[in-house]
Amino acid sequence: MMVLLGVMSFMPSLLFAQNNDDSELLSRVFSYQRNFGHHIEGFQSNVYLKYSFFTDKRNWGLFLIPHMYSIAEGERAFVGESYCRMVFRDFNDYDIKRQVSVGNIAHYGKALPTLMELLTPSLYNECLYDRYILSPFHEANGRYYRYQCMLIGNGTALIKFSPKLKNTQLVSGEAYVNYETGHISTVVLNGEYDMIDFKITMEQGETGVRSLMPKKCEVQARFDFLGNHIRSNFNVQFDCPTTLPDSLDAERDMALMDSLRPMPLEESERNVYDLYCRPQEPDTVKKPEEPRKYNFWKDFMWDEVGDRLFTTQRAENKKASFNISPLLNPQYISYSRRRGISYKIKMGMQYNFSEHRYLTLKPQIGYNFKFKQFYYTAPLRMNYNPKRQGYAEIVFANGNRISNSSVQEYIQQRDDADYSGQDLDLFTDNIVEIKNNVEAFDWLMLTTSLTWHYRKAANRETMKKLGLPEAYTSFAPNLKVTLTPWRNGPLIMLDYERGIKGVWGSNIGYERWETDAVWKVPMRSLSLLNLRVGGGLYTNKSSNYFVDFENFREDNVPGGWDDDWSGDFQLLNSQWYNMSHYYVRANVSFESPLLFATWLPLVGRFIESERIYVGSVTLNHTRPYFEVGYGLTNRYFSGGLFCSFLNTKFQEFGAKITLELFRRW
């Protein structure tokens, strides 16, 4: 029965049209961008934005939400305006320069920044927003919607649309359309976006590229989380007549904003401005009050420390910029059975020498609770030719715990004591890497590097008793060639590394060859097929060596659905491939919204995307290894269940969870 319902649900929606005229109207809407539109890149506009927030209920949970700290205490009503210059590369890819900004949010901070994305939906594209919400006005998504069309006169038709299946990737609403061309003049969209219920009322431009862009847009939104209830309203108007000088940059000038504002303020907005933003008339100025005493808990712990715990910190000027992620951020927590719980913090620094030459430092710091180990990576990069991805970089890092196969073999041969469970074969890895990268041609990338590893035994005392080295050092030049011979084809990587003894104390010699091909094949309606094949082997090995294949190295503190969920093995024990002299691998995953879990009652409507995984690897000293899995992501977390097999014999079962909460914020 469920299968029959699924087949009926995803039949082409044009079959549900009342007559051929309705079908023809929908076809004109679906093909409007192709027939009448123009490329949007380079489109510029003067933009006025007005926003307001009204807090009905709030509690301590509001401090945990990114960008909400600034409205988590104090006033319950916030109003702000901006006058900007926007240059578009695509509907969801643009540069914005705020030239005038006013408002009563502390430090002119951001709140509910995801609402900004809702102001520029691309109606005729497959997704209204960047890989999110399937547009009802694209032919590929017609099978997910029901349409009702009616001619209302003056060459205008009304199209009402609703999803066949309730899901956060779909919207409902209505649109007024030019019957002859399929151009949408006004539209109302109702839906959900990352825990925000919204209603968008939008008026489109009339001709050319402007007919693909909003002319006016209003977003009414409500955010409810952990007992916090916040109402917000965003209004934006494009193509404002006044062009300000480029020298103006985020001016805090209320009088100037009064002269630029193209729409009147609501009474509630004027009241907020009169209370908090506008200077009072001299005869209404109150007598100065006694200065408030300094309160350590309120002024320091709550305002200063609290702000840094829960809010991304940024600072910038014309030459330099700095940012650090919140110290307490749930989206940087991940869990897997094999690696346990991990947490990380990201930072970013940039110094601009010129437009095409700048220095960046983007360290990441994390902690793995299962291994009780801090991880870090600190790449210092000089970008000298961004157009050709030309950069020189030095990286300081500590890597995964890794096994030394020669130590394992030595311990297995001894019969004087039981050394099991003492982690004698495990070593920590400290890394220094110097590299240069350049795109020689559009289809050829060359990366050369020098890598130094210092691997120290996890159990140094027992290694001393056994008369084994406590540390191993390697030095190796490396050449990596990345090929993209086809515009929409696979990315092919060839990697060669040669370990040289005697340089920087190196006592390991080896030769490593690897090849890898990755192909992400986009399909209709946000579906994606991920393909990965590759292989590698070691030659010219010394007696003491670490097998450290580049394409099996893990991100110690991953975060997010796309970080390491596709093309990797979730349950494969690292000792297996660290003991192998070669490997041959293949991974396939298929990702799609509205697949299986969306049919579940109550919770199915919140499932944003699902994945099916299949992977296999062949190693020496073992039979073929297989791994299959299923994963899903929603607004709260990404989760996956995995099973592994040796040949056809069941090996183990595992799970992985990564928090996705507020990842788009």
Side-chain angles (χ1 to χ4, degrees):
M1 185 65 179
M2 183 63 73
V3 174
L4 179 60
L5 288 173
V7 172
M8 293 177 61
S9 174
F10 294 108
M11 290 176 64
S13 62
L14 295 182
L15 297 178
F16 289 89
Q18 295 177 359
N19 51 51
N20 288 336
D21 291 340
D22 292 352
S23 299
E24 291 175 5
L25 173 60
L26 290 173
S27 295
R28 286 192 286 271
V29 173
F30 293 154
S31 60
Y32 178 80
Q33 184 169 355
R34 182 172 64 251
N35 294 337
F36 295 94
H38 299 278
H39 193 53
I40 196 173
E41 185 174 5
F43 176 75
Q44 300 185 28
S45 182
N46 298 315
V47 180
Y48 166 78
L49 170 66
K50 177 180 68 172
Y51 53 90
S52 57
F53 301 94
F54 298 95
T55 305
D56 297 327
K57 289 183 180 180
R58 66 184 178 191
N59 56 44
W60 61 268
L62 203 58
F63 291 93
L64 303 177
I65 303 172
H67 302 292
M68 298 298 284
Y69 185 88
S70 55
I71 66 173
E73 63 169 343
E75 298 85 17
R76 289 181 173 269
F78 299 87
V79 174
E81 297 172 277
S82 294
Y83 197 86
C84 316
R85 184 71 175 168
M86 295 180 71
V87 180
F88 288 83
R89 288 180 289 273
D90 202 348
F91 292 97
N92 304 117
D93 183 13
Y94 50 80
D95 293 324
I96 181 169
K97 180 180 180 181
R98 298 179 185 272
Q99 296 183 287
V100 184
S101 293
V102 297
N104 69 317
I105 294 181
H107 312 299
Y108 295 91
K110 296 180 180 179
L112 289 177
T114 51
L115 287 177
M116 287 293 295
E117 299 180 34
L118 300 181
L119 296 172
T120 55
S122 48
L123 296 180
Y124 301 102
N125 283 358
E126 198 165 351
C127 299
L128 292 175
Y129 307 104
D130 185 21
R131 295 198 60 78
Y132 197 80
I133 301 187
L134 300 172
S135 172
F137 307 112
H138 192 280
E139 187 173 10
N141 305 326
R143 63 187 184 275
Y144 299 120
Y145 287 97
R146 293 187 177 90
Y147 300 89
Q148 185 180 9
C149 306
M150 58 190 75
L151 189 63
I152 60 175
N154 296 324
T156 302
L158 173 64
I159 300 177
K160 295 185 177 181
F161 50 91
S162 60
K164 296 179 183 177
L165 185 67
K166 287 188 177 181
N167 189 269
T168 56
Q169 292 280 31
L170 303 173
V171 292
S172 63
E174 59 184 31
Y176 289 90
V177 178
N178 184 301
Y179 187 82
E180 296 298 326
T181 65
H183 170 245
I184 300 170
S185 56
T186 60
V187 65
V188 177
L189 303 170
N190 300 285
E192 296 179 53
Y193 184 82
D194 208 7
M195 293 188 290
I196 298 173
D197 295 319
F198 65 80
K199 177 182 179 181
I200 300 174
T201 305
M202 186 170 65
E203 178 183 341
Q204 290 281 96
E206 297 177 359
T207 60
V209 67
R210 282 173 168 76
S211 68
L212 307 178
M213 296 289 298
K215 183 178 179 181
K216 296 180 181 178
C217 185
E218 180 182 8
V219 177
Q220 296 173 309
R222 185 173 182 87
F223 173 69
D224 297 322
F225 183 72
L226 293 178
N228 296 279
H229 306 294
I230 298 173
R231 291 176 291 115
S232 61
N233 196 82
F234 276 55
N235 280 273
V236 64
Q237 181 165 323
F238 293 83
D239 293 331
C240 295
T242 304
T243 300
L244 297 175
D246 291 339
S247 57
L248 284 179
D249 185 12
E251 294 289 325
R252 319 297 188 191
D253 191 329
M254 180 62 76
L256 179 57
M257 182 60 73
D258 288 339
S259 68
L260 295 170
R261 186 181 300 114
M263 62 180 69
L265 295 171
E266 301 287 340
E267 182 179 357
S268 58
E269 296 166 340
R270 289 198 303 270
N271 291 338
V272 173
Y273 270 167
D274 291 339
L275 274 175
Y276 303 111
C277 298
R278 297 187 187 279
Q280 296 179 326
E281 297 296 328
D283 58 347
T284 65
V285 175
K286 297 180 181 180
K287 295 181 179 180
E289 298 180 357
E290 297 253 343
R292 185 174 63 86
K293 292 183 179 181
Y294 179 81
N295 186 307
F296 173 80
W297 291 105
K298 170 65 173 63
D299 297 329
F300 179 73
M301 295 300 296
W302 192 261
D303 289 345
E304 296 297 327
V305 176
D307 182 56
R308 284 154 180 78
L309 283 176
F310 304 117
T311 306
T312 298
Q313 301 298 311
R314 293 183 174 88
E316 62 180 325
N317 56 34
K318 292 183 179 179
K319 284 286 188 180
S321 62
F322 168 82
N323 67 79
I324 179 171
S325 64
L327 299 180
L328 297 179
N329 193 337
Q331 66 183 260
Y332 289 149
I333 300 174
S334 65
Y335 167 81
S336 68
R337 176 182 172 183
R338 181 161 53 88
R339 290 167 47 190
I341 299 175
S342 298
Y343 184 75
K344 70 179 177 184
I345 296 172
K346 290 184 176 181
M347 289 178 279
M349 288 158 271
Q350 179 168 320
Y351 185 84
N352 302 312
F353 295 96
S354 65
E355 182 180 358
H356 301 296
R357 185 172 295 176
Y358 49 91
L359 185 70
T360 63
L361 176 63
K362 297 182 178 181
Q364 293 187 35
I365 303 170
Y367 184 76
N368 183 282
F369 292 87
K370 181 176 181 178
F371 301 143
K372 299 179 181 178
Q373 183 174 351
F374 279 99
Y375 292 103
Y376 68 89
T377 177
L380 179 63
R381 177 180 296 186
M382 169 59 76
N383 296 268
Y384 57 81
N385 188 354
K387 290 184 178 180
R388 282 294 179 184
Q389 299 189 50
Y391 64 83
E393 184 177 65
I394 180 168
V395 181
F396 301 91
N398 63 343
N400 298 294
R401 302 200 308 176
I402 188 170
S403 300
N404 184 323
S405 60
S406 64
V407 174
Q408 288 179 321
E409 293 168 0
Y410 177 81
I411 294 173
Q412 290 170 0
Q413 294 171 2
R414 295 179 63 99
D415 56 7
D416 56 341
D418 182 9
Y419 296 102
S420 61
Q422 297 189 37
D423 293 336
L424 296 184
D425 59 326
L426 293 180
F427 290 73
T428 59
D429 187 7
N430 292 282
I431 306 165
V432 178
E433 184 178 24
I434 302 171
K435 69 169 65 174
N436 184 77
N437 186 87
V438 67
E439 187 181 60
F441 304 99
D442 292 341
W443 51 271
L444 175 63
M445 185 94 69
L446 297 175
T447 307
T448 56
S449 63
L450 298 173
T451 306
W452 180 81
H453 288 266
Y454 178 72
R455 298 179 172 100
K456 186 170 61 177
N459 191 331
R460 301 180 67 183
E461 294 300 321
T462 306
M463 293 292 282
K464 287 181 181 179
K465 294 178 182 178
L466 292 173
L468 294 173
E470 302 169 43
Y472 293 84
T473 303
S474 68
F475 172 84
N478 176 280
L479 173 64
K480 181 182 292 185
V481 179
T482 304
L483 302 169
T484 52
W486 305 279
R487 182 182 296 272
N488 296 315
L491 183 147
I492 302 170
M493 289 172 285
L494 307 173
D495 194 325
Y496 172 77
E497 185 171 283
R498 177 67 181 264
I500 303 175
K501 286 186 174 183
V503 180
W504 286 6
S506 173
N507 55 7
I508 301 176
Y510 62 88
E511 211 169 36
R512 176 175 60 81
W513 306 77
E514 284 187 86
T515 181
D516 203 34
V518 180
W519 192 8
K520 290 192 173 185
V521 185
M523 305 173 74
R524 298 178 63 159
S525 303
L526 288 179
S527 296
L528 183 67
L529 181 65
N530 294 287
L531 304 172
R532 184 176 185 181
V533 295
L537 74 157
Y538 268 78
T539 59
N540 191 31
K541 300 180 299 295
S542 64
S543 58
N544 293 323
Y545 62 92
F546 289 84
V547 180
D548 189 13
F549 287 115
E550 171 75 20
N551 294 326
F552 278 104
R553 292 175 187 165
E554 301 176 83
D555 183 355
N556 297 303
V557 279
W561 176 252
D562 289 316
D563 275 14
D564 72 338
W565 282 76
S566 185
D568 287 313
F569 297 95
Q570 304 298 329
L571 304 177
L572 181 60
N573 192 318
S574 62
Q575 292 184 359
W576 288 11
Y577 52 80
N578 284 336
M579 292 176 62
S580 179
H581 301 161
Y582 71 88
Y583 73 89
V584 179
R585 68 178 295 170
N587 297 79
V588 179
S589 70
F590 176 71
E591 174 184 340
S592 179
L594 308 170
L595 196 58
F596 302 120
T598 49
W599 293 97
L600 296 174
L602 301 179
V603 298
R605 64 189 299 261
F606 300 110
I607 305 302
E608 297 175 1
S609 193
E610 300 170 75
R611 274 191 189 151
I612 300 171
Y613 306 86
V614 179
S616 178
V617 62
T618 299
L619 309 165
N620 64 323
H621 307 308
T622 186
R623 293 164 289 173
Y625 172 89
F626 296 94
E627 199 169 282
V628 296
Y630 167 80
L632 59 83
T633 185
N634 57 37
R635 62 183 64 175
Y636 302 109
F637 66 90
S638 294
L641 301 175
F642 301 89
C643 292
S644 63
F645 303 84
L646 276 177
N647 249 350
T648 57
K649 184 178 179 181
F650 175 77
Q651 186 71 16
E652 66 175 325
F653 174 83
K656 175 172 179 163
I657 296 176
T658 300
L659 295 182
E660 298 287 343
L661 199 61
F662 308 116
R663 192 169 297 280
R664 298 188 188 96
W665 290 42

